[in-house]
Amino acid sequence: MKIKLKKILVTGGAGFIGSNFIRYMLKKHPDYEIVNLDKLTYCGNPKNLRDIEKNHNYSFIKGDIKDTEVVKEAMKGCDAIVNCAAESHVDRSIKNPNNFVRTNIHGLLTVLRVAKDYNVPRIVQIGTDEVYGSIEKGSFTEKSNLNPGSPYSASKASADLMALSFHTTYKLPAIIMRSSNNFGPYQYPEKIIPLFITNAIEDKKLPVYGDGMNVRDWLFVLDHCSAIDIVLHKGEIGEIYNVAKGDEISNIELTRKILEYVGKSDDLIEFVEDRPGHDRRYSMDASKIRAIGWESKYEFEGALKETVEWYKNNKAWWEPLRKSAEAARLHKSSKTKV
Ligand SMILES: NC(=O)c1ccc[n+]([C@@H]2O[C@H](COP(=O)([O-])OP(=O)(O)OC[C@H]3O[C@@H](n4cnc5c(N)ncnc54)[C@H](O)[C@@H]3O)[C@@H](O)[C@H]2O)c1
């Protein structure tokens, strides 16, 4: 059954997926109101939504999902929540897992508790395929065991279980989505695709982990947005939905494609020491979400070319981010040396 919504709270809406989702929803459902609650961490960026910030159906609240009062204020009158707020970078979770536990688990817990008190009719928790861990052959279904390999994916698996436990215990109307790796505009240039595109544009080396044979199943971010839209309107409460397209490619093949599309030579490839605990291959079966009407619209190579063009044409968006990340790195290493 398809439901009609009025006001949606998107947490983490100033990040990569959240900002694309808010833009997508305001266009697709111009009568819906969207509230964006975001702490604006290093990867939350108000510029991601500059084009829609004056839309009368959009409002922004700066705040932390761990802060009960701010979550209460943001959730007032909402009939749905999409939780995109998270610490999302595996490498950062390996260096310092604390924030991952705080935001991805404690933060979600606050959202769930307030949603329970307010009787919000629908809560979609944005999860990841990484909770299943690596698979050599075949694909994970929603019934597969969880086997997270990094502090990031362990925090995301805990979040999924917490949301499901609220459904079982309190009948909280939660739904879990688990998407494969996303790419597209407005992705912070530390993740592999935007990092490699921007490095290639600046003639810097592209650091490929290990032998480069780790395989990922890439999904253009707007395909993820349409999947969230479908689950919000047609998903069954208490269920889990995998979202994947089946565009598997090794990291080294991906790197070569990026270099080709940016117009640079393979000489920029540099193999570096592998990430500890690096999952070899992710793959999910997405027939359950297809059965409720989702289908991907974006073909991988075309969407990757479009993404490369976006980064070429939006240097003003990413150059300051790269400069401040570099300044933070230098500051940290100078402090370590003292
Ligand atoms: N990017 C992917 O490939 C991918 C794939 C599958 C699932 N996911 C999941 O999708 C969600 C969004 O990912 P993303 O790539 O957009 O991440 P992102 O890092 O780009 O954005 C996260 C957003 O959350 C905000 N945030 C962080 N901590 C917060 C807090 N305590 N309170 C309020 N806001 C906070 C940040 O400011 C930022 O705007 C995450 O849960 C991630 O695990 C991402």
Side-chain angles (χ1 to χ4, degrees):
M1 189 195 58
K2 186 164 175 171
I3 56 154
K4 180 94 185 134
L5 301 168
K6 283 198 205 99
K7 187 173 175 186
I8 305 171
L9 169 62
V10 179
T11 58
F16 164 50
I17 294 171
S19 62
N20 277 288
F21 176 66
I22 291 175
R23 183 176 295 101
Y24 176 92
M25 290 298 278
L26 287 171
K27 197 168 170 201
K28 173 107 188 277
H29 306 280
D31 52 332
Y32 284 12
E33 210 182 308
I34 308 247
V35 180
N36 175 10
L37 170 63
D38 198 298
K39 186 179 173 183
L40 300 182
T41 64
Y42 73 97
C43 60
N45 187 348
K47 284 185 189 160
N48 295 2
L49 289 162
R50 196 97 316 151
D51 54 325
I52 55 102
E53 67 190 0
K54 294 206 165 68
N55 185 312
H56 64 279
N57 275 337
Y58 170 74
S59 57
F60 174 69
I61 298 174
K62 182 168 188 255
D64 193 318
I65 57 164
K66 294 190 296 300
D67 179 340
T68 305
E69 292 312 311
V70 90
V71 173
K72 279 183 176 169
E73 182 198 337
M75 217 180 272
K76 255 184 218 146
C78 289
D79 49 13
I81 301 162
V82 177
N83 181 38
C84 298
E87 288 294 332
S88 66
H89 190 41
V90 176
D91 288 347
R92 285 179 188 257
S93 82
I94 293 168
K95 288 196 185 112
N96 182 6
N98 291 359
N99 272 345
F100 288 74
V101 172
R102 288 193 195 109
T103 291
N104 300 359
I105 307 173
H106 288 181
L108 171 72
L109 180 59
T110 309
V111 172
L112 297 174
R113 288 165 83 164
V114 178
K116 172 177 160 282
D117 291 348
Y118 279 24
N119 289 317
V120 177
R122 255 174 137 68
I123 299 122
V124 175
Q125 164 63 7
I126 302 300
T128 165
D129 60 350
E130 302 195 23
V131 297
Y132 295 119
S134 199
I135 188 165
E136 215 174 297
K137 282 190 192 130
S139 303
F140 291 117
T141 72
E142 290 82 355
K143 290 197 166 70
S144 299
N145 288 338
L146 302 185
N147 186 21
S150 71
Y152 161 70
S153 52
S155 72
K156 295 295 293 180
S158 310
D160 287 5
L161 295 177
M162 187 63 76
L164 290 171
S165 81
F166 264 62
H167 171 65
T168 307
T169 307
Y170 308 111
K171 304 283 172 266
L172 188 88
I175 307 176
I176 311 293
M177 294 184 66
R178 292 180 180 150
S179 159
S180 65
N181 280 41
N182 285 213
F183 68 102
Y186 301 106
Q187 188 168 29
Y188 189 84
E190 65 182 355
K191 305 277 169 68
I192 183 168
I193 289 186
L195 176 73
F196 282 12
I197 295 172
T198 52
N199 276 12
I201 292 172
E202 292 188 333
D203 286 310
K204 295 197 169 127
K205 292 282 184 188
L206 277 54
V208 176
Y209 281 138
D211 61 3
M213 294 310 289
N214 302 66
V215 170
R216 297 294 179 263
D217 177 358
W218 289 98
L219 185 73
F220 188 56
V221 65
L222 292 180
D223 271 337
H224 191 185
C225 295
S226 67
I228 302 171
D229 185 25
I230 295 259
V231 167
L232 257 180
H233 291 92
K234 291 187 176 173
E236 287 280 332
I237 300 297
E239 292 295 321
I240 300 167
Y241 293 91
N242 290 344
V243 190
K245 187 167 181 290
D247 270 330
E248 291 188 20
I249 182 170
S250 68
N251 286 348
I252 188 65
E253 276 178 274
L254 171 71
T255 308
R256 292 205 174 100
K257 278 193 195 300
I258 290 173
L259 284 167
E260 181 194 333
Y261 298 160
V262 178
K264 297 288 166 78
S265 131
D266 284 6
D267 295 347
L268 287 178
I269 295 173
E270 180 180 52
F271 288 96
V272 297
E273 192 184 334
D274 206 357
R275 167 194 277 168
H278 202 177
D279 287 329
R280 197 69 174 164
R281 174 175 175 261
Y282 294 136
S283 181
M284 289 186 299
D285 178 327
S287 37
K288 187 168 166 183
I289 192 169
R290 290 186 198 280
I292 58 165
W294 177 74
E295 54 185 40
S296 64
K297 278 204 186 127
Y298 295 89
E299 169 269 320
F300 174 69
E301 299 208 347
L304 184 61
K305 279 183 193 155
E306 204 180 292
T307 303
V308 166
E309 286 311 304
W310 189 88
Y311 281 89
K312 277 185 177 170
N313 295 330
N314 288 278
K315 282 190 181 176
W317 180 84
W318 56 263
E319 276 176 343
L321 301 178
R322 279 173 63 99
K323 281 200 184 107
S324 56
E326 180 60 9
R329 197 185 60 76
L330 291 174
H331 178 68
K332 210 169 163 195
S333 68
S334 73
K335 275 201 343 204
T336 319
K337 278 181 199 139
V338 170

Short mmCIF file of all heavy atoms in Angstrom, two decimals, residues 12 14-18 37-41 43-45 63-66 83-88 103 126-128 152 156 179-182 187 191 224, ligand 1:
data_model
loop_
_atom_site.label_atom_id
_atom_site.label_comp_id
_atom_site.label_asym_id
_atom_site.label_seq_id
_atom_site.Cartn_x
_atom_site.Cartn_y
_atom_site.Cartn_z
N GLY A 12 21.28 14.33 9.03
CA GLY A 12 22.48 14.21 8.20
C GLY A 12 22.22 14.65 6.77
O GLY A 12 22.90 14.20 5.84
N ALA A 14 22.92 17.33 5.28
CA ALA A 14 23.92 18.18 4.63
C ALA A 14 25.10 17.35 4.12
O ALA A 14 26.08 17.89 3.61
CB ALA A 14 24.42 19.26 5.59
N GLY A 15 25.01 16.04 4.26
CA GLY A 15 26.08 15.16 3.76
C GLY A 15 25.79 14.75 2.32
O GLY A 15 24.90 15.32 1.66
N PHE A 16 26.52 13.77 1.86
CA PHE A 16 26.44 13.35 0.45
C PHE A 16 25.06 12.78 0.09
O PHE A 16 24.32 13.36 -0.73
CB PHE A 16 27.57 12.34 0.20
CG PHE A 16 27.47 11.52 -1.04
CD1 PHE A 16 27.23 12.12 -2.27
CD2 PHE A 16 27.61 10.13 -0.99
CE1 PHE A 16 27.14 11.36 -3.43
CE2 PHE A 16 27.53 9.37 -2.14
CZ PHE A 16 27.29 9.98 -3.35
N ILE A 17 24.67 11.68 0.72
CA ILE A 17 23.40 11.03 0.35
C ILE A 17 22.23 11.89 0.81
O ILE A 17 21.27 12.10 0.05
CB ILE A 17 23.33 9.60 0.94
CG1 ILE A 17 24.39 8.73 0.28
CG2 ILE A 17 21.93 8.99 0.73
CD1 ILE A 17 24.58 7.36 0.90
N GLY A 18 22.32 12.43 2.03
CA GLY A 18 21.22 13.24 2.57
C GLY A 18 20.89 14.43 1.68
O GLY A 18 19.71 14.72 1.42
N LEU A 37 18.14 18.04 9.88
CA LEU A 37 18.89 18.21 11.13
C LEU A 37 20.30 17.68 10.91
O LEU A 37 20.48 16.49 10.62
CB LEU A 37 18.21 17.43 12.26
CG LEU A 37 19.01 17.30 13.57
CD1 LEU A 37 19.26 18.65 14.21
CD2 LEU A 37 18.29 16.37 14.55
N ASP A 38 21.29 18.56 11.01
CA ASP A 38 22.66 18.13 10.73
C ASP A 38 23.62 18.87 11.65
O ASP A 38 23.48 20.07 11.89
CB ASP A 38 23.01 18.41 9.26
CG ASP A 38 24.21 17.61 8.79
OD1 ASP A 38 25.32 17.81 9.35
OD2 ASP A 38 24.07 16.79 7.86
N LYS A 39 24.61 18.15 12.13
CA LYS A 39 25.60 18.74 13.03
C LYS A 39 26.65 19.54 12.26
O LYS A 39 27.39 20.32 12.85
CB LYS A 39 26.30 17.58 13.79
CG LYS A 39 27.24 18.00 14.86
CD LYS A 39 27.83 16.76 15.54
CE LYS A 39 28.91 17.13 16.51
NZ LYS A 39 29.52 15.95 17.12
N LEU A 40 26.71 19.34 10.97
CA LEU A 40 27.75 19.94 10.12
C LEU A 40 29.14 19.57 10.62
O LEU A 40 29.93 20.42 11.03
CB LEU A 40 27.59 21.47 10.00
CG LEU A 40 26.27 21.97 9.41
CD1 LEU A 40 26.26 23.49 9.31
CD2 LEU A 40 26.00 21.36 8.04
N THR A 41 29.43 18.28 10.59
CA THR A 41 30.78 17.80 10.89
C THR A 41 31.64 18.15 9.67
O THR A 41 31.17 18.79 8.73
CB THR A 41 30.80 16.28 11.12
OG1 THR A 41 30.42 15.65 9.89
CG2 THR A 41 29.83 15.87 12.23
N CYS A 43 32.23 16.71 7.08
CA CYS A 43 31.69 16.36 5.75
C CYS A 43 30.27 16.86 5.55
O CYS A 43 29.70 16.67 4.48
CB CYS A 43 31.75 14.86 5.52
SG CYS A 43 30.80 13.98 6.74
N GLY A 44 29.69 17.52 6.55
CA GLY A 44 28.38 18.15 6.37
C GLY A 44 28.61 19.55 5.85
O GLY A 44 29.39 20.30 6.42
N ASN A 45 27.96 19.89 4.75
CA ASN A 45 28.32 21.14 4.07
C ASN A 45 27.06 21.86 3.59
O ASN A 45 26.36 21.36 2.71
CB ASN A 45 29.22 20.76 2.88
CG ASN A 45 29.80 21.96 2.19
OD1 ASN A 45 29.40 23.10 2.43
ND2 ASN A 45 30.76 21.70 1.31
N GLY A 63 22.35 20.80 14.54
CA GLY A 63 22.33 20.13 15.84
C GLY A 63 22.78 18.69 15.72
O GLY A 63 22.92 18.13 14.62
N ASP A 64 22.98 18.09 16.89
CA ASP A 64 23.53 16.74 16.99
C ASP A 64 22.40 15.74 17.25
O ASP A 64 21.56 16.00 18.14
CB ASP A 64 24.52 16.75 18.17
CG ASP A 64 25.41 15.53 18.21
OD1 ASP A 64 24.90 14.42 17.97
OD2 ASP A 64 26.60 15.69 18.49
N ILE A 65 22.40 14.62 16.57
CA ILE A 65 21.34 13.63 16.82
C ILE A 65 21.46 12.99 18.20
O ILE A 65 20.55 12.28 18.63
CB ILE A 65 21.23 12.53 15.72
CG1 ILE A 65 22.56 11.79 15.54
CG2 ILE A 65 20.74 13.09 14.41
CD1 ILE A 65 22.41 10.47 14.78
N LYS A 66 22.54 13.26 18.91
CA LYS A 66 22.64 12.74 20.29
C LYS A 66 21.94 13.67 21.29
O LYS A 66 21.78 13.32 22.45
CB LYS A 66 24.11 12.61 20.70
CG LYS A 66 24.88 11.57 19.90
CD LYS A 66 26.24 11.28 20.47
CE LYS A 66 27.20 12.44 20.45
NZ LYS A 66 27.51 12.99 19.12
N ASN A 83 17.07 8.55 8.57
CA ASN A 83 18.30 8.82 9.32
C ASN A 83 19.54 8.57 8.46
O ASN A 83 19.97 7.44 8.27
CB ASN A 83 18.39 7.96 10.58
CG ASN A 83 19.66 8.27 11.37
OD1 ASN A 83 20.07 9.43 11.45
ND2 ASN A 83 20.29 7.26 11.92
N CYS A 84 20.08 9.68 7.94
CA CYS A 84 21.33 9.60 7.16
C CYS A 84 22.52 10.09 7.98
O CYS A 84 23.65 10.06 7.50
CB CYS A 84 21.26 10.50 5.93
SG CYS A 84 20.01 10.12 4.73
N ALA A 85 22.27 10.60 9.20
CA ALA A 85 23.36 11.16 9.99
C ALA A 85 24.29 10.04 10.43
O ALA A 85 23.84 9.06 11.03
CB ALA A 85 22.82 11.89 11.21
N ALA A 86 25.57 10.19 10.14
CA ALA A 86 26.51 9.13 10.52
C ALA A 86 27.94 9.60 10.35
O ALA A 86 28.21 10.55 9.63
CB ALA A 86 26.29 7.90 9.63
N GLU A 87 28.83 8.90 11.02
CA GLU A 87 30.24 8.91 10.65
C GLU A 87 30.34 7.80 9.61
O GLU A 87 29.88 6.68 9.86
CB GLU A 87 31.12 8.60 11.86
CG GLU A 87 31.19 9.72 12.87
CD GLU A 87 31.89 10.98 12.34
OE1 GLU A 87 32.75 10.84 11.45
OE2 GLU A 87 31.57 12.08 12.81
N SER A 88 30.93 8.11 8.45
CA SER A 88 30.75 7.18 7.34
C SER A 88 32.04 6.70 6.67
O SER A 88 31.97 5.95 5.70
CB SER A 88 29.86 7.85 6.28
OG SER A 88 30.54 8.95 5.71
N THR A 103 27.97 8.54 17.33
CA THR A 103 26.94 9.02 16.39
C THR A 103 26.09 7.87 15.85
O THR A 103 24.87 7.92 15.87
CB THR A 103 27.60 9.80 15.23
OG1 THR A 103 28.11 11.00 15.76
CG2 THR A 103 26.59 10.12 14.12
N ILE A 126 19.16 4.40 7.35
CA ILE A 126 20.00 4.17 6.19
C ILE A 126 21.24 3.37 6.61
O ILE A 126 22.10 3.86 7.34
CB ILE A 126 20.43 5.51 5.52
CG1 ILE A 126 19.19 6.32 5.11
CG2 ILE A 126 21.33 5.26 4.32
CD1 ILE A 126 18.26 5.63 4.13
N GLY A 127 21.29 2.14 6.15
CA GLY A 127 22.38 1.25 6.50
C GLY A 127 23.24 0.93 5.28
O GLY A 127 23.10 1.56 4.23
N THR A 128 24.08 -0.05 5.45
CA THR A 128 25.08 -0.33 4.40
C THR A 128 25.27 -1.83 4.17
O THR A 128 25.08 -2.63 5.10
CB THR A 128 26.43 0.30 4.80
OG1 THR A 128 27.47 -0.24 3.99
CG2 THR A 128 26.80 0.02 6.25
N TYR A 152 33.59 0.85 11.54
CA TYR A 152 32.46 1.53 10.87
C TYR A 152 31.30 0.56 10.67
O TYR A 152 30.17 0.81 11.11
CB TYR A 152 32.91 2.11 9.52
CG TYR A 152 31.76 2.41 8.57
CD1 TYR A 152 30.88 3.45 8.83
CD2 TYR A 152 31.57 1.64 7.41
CE1 TYR A 152 29.82 3.72 7.96
CE2 TYR A 152 30.52 1.91 6.54
CZ TYR A 152 29.64 2.95 6.82
OH TYR A 152 28.59 3.22 5.97
N LYS A 156 27.46 0.28 12.26
CA LYS A 156 26.24 0.29 11.43
C LYS A 156 25.40 -0.97 11.68
O LYS A 156 24.17 -0.91 11.68
CB LYS A 156 26.62 0.37 9.94
CG LYS A 156 27.31 1.65 9.53
CD LYS A 156 26.45 2.88 9.67
CE LYS A 156 25.29 2.90 8.70
NZ LYS A 156 24.46 4.11 8.87
N SER A 179 22.38 -0.25 1.48
CA SER A 179 22.77 0.05 0.11
C SER A 179 24.23 -0.31 -0.14
O SER A 179 25.05 -0.33 0.79
CB SER A 179 22.56 1.55 -0.11
OG SER A 179 23.33 2.01 -1.19
N SER A 180 24.54 -0.58 -1.39
CA SER A 180 25.93 -0.78 -1.78
C SER A 180 26.61 0.59 -1.90
O SER A 180 25.97 1.63 -1.68
CB SER A 180 26.00 -1.54 -3.09
OG SER A 180 25.44 -0.75 -4.12
N ASN A 181 27.88 0.61 -2.28
CA ASN A 181 28.65 1.87 -2.36
C ASN A 181 28.01 2.85 -3.33
O ASN A 181 27.69 2.49 -4.46
CB ASN A 181 30.05 1.58 -2.91
CG ASN A 181 30.98 1.03 -1.85
OD1 ASN A 181 30.57 0.21 -1.04
ND2 ASN A 181 32.21 1.49 -1.86
N ASN A 182 27.85 4.09 -2.88
CA ASN A 182 27.26 5.15 -3.71
C ASN A 182 28.36 6.04 -4.29
O ASN A 182 29.43 6.18 -3.70
CB ASN A 182 26.39 6.07 -2.85
CG ASN A 182 25.05 5.47 -2.47
OD1 ASN A 182 24.08 6.20 -2.34
ND2 ASN A 182 24.97 4.17 -2.27
N GLN A 187 29.96 14.28 -3.01
CA GLN A 187 30.56 13.30 -2.08
C GLN A 187 31.91 13.86 -1.61
O GLN A 187 32.75 14.24 -2.43
CB GLN A 187 30.75 11.94 -2.76
CG GLN A 187 31.18 10.86 -1.79
CD GLN A 187 31.10 9.45 -2.37
OE1 GLN A 187 31.24 9.27 -3.58
NE2 GLN A 187 30.89 8.46 -1.53
N LYS A 191 36.44 9.77 -0.06
CA LYS A 191 36.01 8.44 -0.51
C LYS A 191 36.63 8.17 -1.88
O LYS A 191 36.91 9.12 -2.62
CB LYS A 191 34.48 8.39 -0.61
CG LYS A 191 33.75 8.78 0.68
CD LYS A 191 33.65 7.62 1.66
CE LYS A 191 33.18 8.05 3.03
NZ LYS A 191 31.83 8.52 3.14
N HIS A 224 19.92 5.47 -5.32
CA HIS A 224 19.68 5.23 -3.89
C HIS A 224 18.52 6.12 -3.41
O HIS A 224 17.65 5.68 -2.66
CB HIS A 224 20.96 5.52 -3.10
CG HIS A 224 20.91 5.06 -1.68
ND1 HIS A 224 21.93 5.31 -0.79
CD2 HIS A 224 19.97 4.38 -0.96
CE1 HIS A 224 21.63 4.79 0.39
NE2 HIS A 224 20.44 4.23 0.32
N1 LIG B 1 28.30 6.79 0.84
C1 LIG B 1 28.05 5.51 0.62
O1 LIG B 1 28.59 4.90 -0.30
C2 LIG B 1 27.08 4.78 1.50
C3 LIG B 1 26.66 3.50 1.12
C4 LIG B 1 25.73 2.82 1.94
C5 LIG B 1 25.27 3.43 3.08
N2 LIG B 1 25.70 4.66 3.43
C6 LIG B 1 25.15 5.24 4.67
O2 LIG B 1 24.42 6.39 4.29
C7 LIG B 1 24.46 7.36 5.34
C8 LIG B 1 24.92 8.68 4.77
O3 LIG B 1 26.21 8.49 4.18
P1 LIG B 1 26.95 9.67 3.41
O4 LIG B 1 27.89 9.04 2.47
O5 LIG B 1 25.99 10.67 2.95
O6 LIG B 1 27.79 10.28 4.62
P2 LIG B 1 28.42 11.71 4.81
O7 LIG B 1 29.58 11.46 5.70
O8 LIG B 1 28.62 12.40 3.51
O9 LIG B 1 27.28 12.53 5.60
C9 LIG B 1 26.96 12.31 6.93
C10 LIG B 1 26.21 13.53 7.42
O10 LIG B 1 25.85 13.31 8.79
C11 LIG B 1 26.13 14.47 9.54
N3 LIG B 1 26.39 14.07 10.92
C12 LIG B 1 27.44 13.35 11.40
N4 LIG B 1 27.33 13.18 12.72
C13 LIG B 1 26.18 13.80 13.09
C14 LIG B 1 25.51 13.95 14.34
N5 LIG B 1 26.02 13.44 15.46
N6 LIG B 1 24.35 14.63 14.36
C15 LIG B 1 23.83 15.16 13.23
N7 LIG B 1 24.43 15.05 12.03
C16 LIG B 1 25.59 14.37 11.96
C17 LIG B 1 27.35 15.09 8.88
O11 LIG B 1 27.49 16.46 9.19
C18 LIG B 1 27.03 14.83 7.41
O12 LIG B 1 26.26 15.88 6.88
C19 LIG B 1 25.39 6.79 6.39
O13 LIG B 1 24.62 6.18 7.38
C20 LIG B 1 26.19 5.74 5.66
O14 LIG B 1 26.58 4.71 6.54
C21 LIG B 1 26.60 5.36 2.67
#
